[in-house]
């Protein structure tokens, strides 16, 4: 089955998981998940620590393989993509990005072009244009020549996002990209992510801990607990007292933001 994107054009699901399970040392991390994610939307993965969110995004990004079940990506079994072909379609940002080894911001963003020219290839005009556009979109041109290690947490995350954009992938998978940021930088980062979906038709899967930031940013929230999906739907359905208590195991209340009516959850 293919999804209609609203224009009458049917598109293959972004991801389709059937019976996906993952186990470590006899402990079940993900328990036979069935899940379909549609293209052109921001999907938020939420839930308590240890619920399987990071493992799930690693499977989606091919950083690990499921022990059972199948994963489809853009209408094909995920394992049938070559590494460079897959990297041209999907960009992944882990919880802890790799060391930058003294690279400048622009040098880091330029690494996103690797799937297009290979390790020994030279940057061409198209690569340079992609790097320039990515840095312009993320507001990182002003510190292009600065070492990444000297940037603030929010600035570094914007540079990593610029690298993902320069990669040219239409699907972005991000694991807790705001966890070390203050509220202002969280909002800035998530606004950039939202804009990529709205203005540039990117598809996003993002792990978030702040339920209110998730509700503000995402089209759909998928809640995991104990390796199972316990809730799945638009924020308006998920951010409800009974549902939040079911997900997090604590009593929570919800009020509506004046003016927009957006739900805001709090510990009761």
């Amino acid at each position: 089955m293919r999804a209609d994107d609203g224009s009458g054009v049917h598109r293959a699901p972004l991801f389709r998981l059937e019976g996906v399970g993952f186990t470590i040392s006899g402990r079940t991390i993900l328990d036979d998940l069935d899940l379909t994610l549609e293209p052109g939307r921001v999907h938020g993965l939420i839930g308590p620590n240890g619920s399987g969110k990071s493992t799930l995004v690693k499977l989606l990004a091919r950083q690990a393989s499921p022990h059972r079940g199948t994963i489809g990506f853009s209408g094909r079994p995920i394992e049938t993509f070559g590494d460079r072909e897959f990297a041209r379609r999907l960009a992944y940002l882990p919880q802890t990005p790799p060391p930058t080894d003294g690279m400048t911001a622009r040098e880091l963003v330029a690494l996103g072009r690797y799937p297009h020219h290979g390790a020994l290839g030279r940057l061409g005009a198209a690569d340079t244009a992609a790097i320039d556009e990515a840095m312009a979109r993320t507001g990182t041109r002003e510190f292009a020549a600065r070492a990444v290690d000297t940037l603030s947490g929010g600035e570094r995350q914007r540079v990593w996002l610029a690298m993902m954009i320069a990669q040219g992938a239409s699907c972005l998978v991000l694991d807790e990209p705001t966890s070390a940021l203050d509220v202002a930088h969280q909002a800035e980062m998530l606004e950039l992510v939202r804009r990529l979906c709205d203005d540039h038709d990117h598809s996003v899967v993002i792990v978030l801990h702040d339920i209110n930031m998730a509700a503000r940013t995402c089209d759909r929230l998928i809640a995991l607990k104990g390796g199972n999906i316990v809730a799945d739907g638009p924020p308006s359905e998920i951010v409800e007292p009974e549902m939040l208590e079911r997900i997090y195991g604590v009593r929570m209340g919800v009020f509506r933001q004046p003016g927009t009516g957006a739900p805001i959850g709090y510990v009761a």
Side-chain angles (χ1 to χ4, degrees), residues 102-156:
M103 284 187 289
T104 66
R106 187 176 180 87
E107 288 170 341
L108 178 57
V109 175
L111 290 182
R113 299 305 297 168
Y114 169 77
H116 301 272
H117 59 68
L120 301 178
R122 296 195 175 199
L123 294 177
D127 299 306
T128 300
I131 294 165
D132 289 340
E133 181 180 1
M135 298 193 81
R137 279 198 214 167
T138 53
T140 53
R141 287 190 297 187
E142 62 186 282
F143 38 81
R146 286 180 55 189
V148 176
D149 293 344
T150 69
L151 302 176
S152 71
E155 290 168 341
R156 281 197 301 273

Side-chain angles (χ1 to χ4, degrees), residues 48-266:
N49 291 337
S51 59
K53 303 184 299 298
S54 292
T55 299
L56 177 54
V57 294
K58 286 177 182 177
L59 297 182
L60 299 182
R62 289 207 328 188
Q63 301 300 300
S65 299
H67 294 149
R68 56 189 177 276
T70 61
I71 300 177
F73 175 61
S74 296
R76 286 169 50 186
I78 197 168
E79 67 274 9
T80 65
F81 290 88
D83 290 343
R84 288 178 62 185
E85 180 189 11
F86 189 72
R88 288 192 289 266
R89 293 170 176 257
L90 183 146
Y92 169 62
L93 183 63
Q95 277 188 45
T96 304
T100 52
D101 296 327
M103 284 187 289
T104 66
R106 187 176 180 87
E107 288 170 341
L108 178 57
V109 175
L111 290 182
R113 299 305 297 168
Y114 169 77
H116 301 272
H117 59 68
L120 301 178
R122 296 195 175 199
L123 294 177
D127 299 306
T128 300
I131 294 165
D132 289 340
E133 181 180 1
M135 298 193 81
R137 279 198 214 167
T138 53
T140 53
R141 287 190 297 187
E142 62 186 282
F143 38 81
R146 286 180 55 189
V148 176
D149 293 344
T150 69
L151 302 176
S152 71
E155 290 168 341
R156 281 197 301 273
Q157 289 298 75
R158 282 159 54 198
V159 171
W160 281 106
L161 183 59
M163 189 199 74
M164 298 174 78
I165 296 170
Q167 194 170 322
S170 60
C171 176
L172 307 181
V173 177
L174 305 98
D175 191 357
E176 298 188 39
T178 62
S179 61
L181 304 182
D182 61 33
V183 172
H185 285 110
Q186 286 182 45
E188 179 182 65
M189 180 75 173
L190 294 177
E191 178 59 33
L192 286 171
V193 169
R194 183 71 253 179
R195 201 180 309 141
L196 286 172
C197 181
D198 292 341
D199 298 345
H200 303 282
D201 199 32
H202 280 65
S203 305
V204 180
V205 182
I206 184 169
V207 176
L208 293 169
H209 271 300
D210 188 318
I211 185 62
N212 295 317
M213 287 291 188
R216 181 174 180 265
T217 305
C218 302
D219 300 300
R220 176 180 169 193
L221 298 178
I222 299 108
L224 291 165
K225 186 174 184 179
N228 294 283
I229 296 172
V230 295
D232 181 356
S236 60
E237 295 180 4
I238 303 301
V239 186
E240 291 289 343
E242 296 82 3
M243 187 68 76
L244 293 177
E245 183 173 356
R246 180 183 176 192
I247 296 168
Y248 294 104
V250 295
R251 291 189 60 189
M252 296 186 70
V254 174
F255 68 90
R256 301 288 166 177
Q257 186 177 25
T260 67
I264 297 176
Y266 60 93

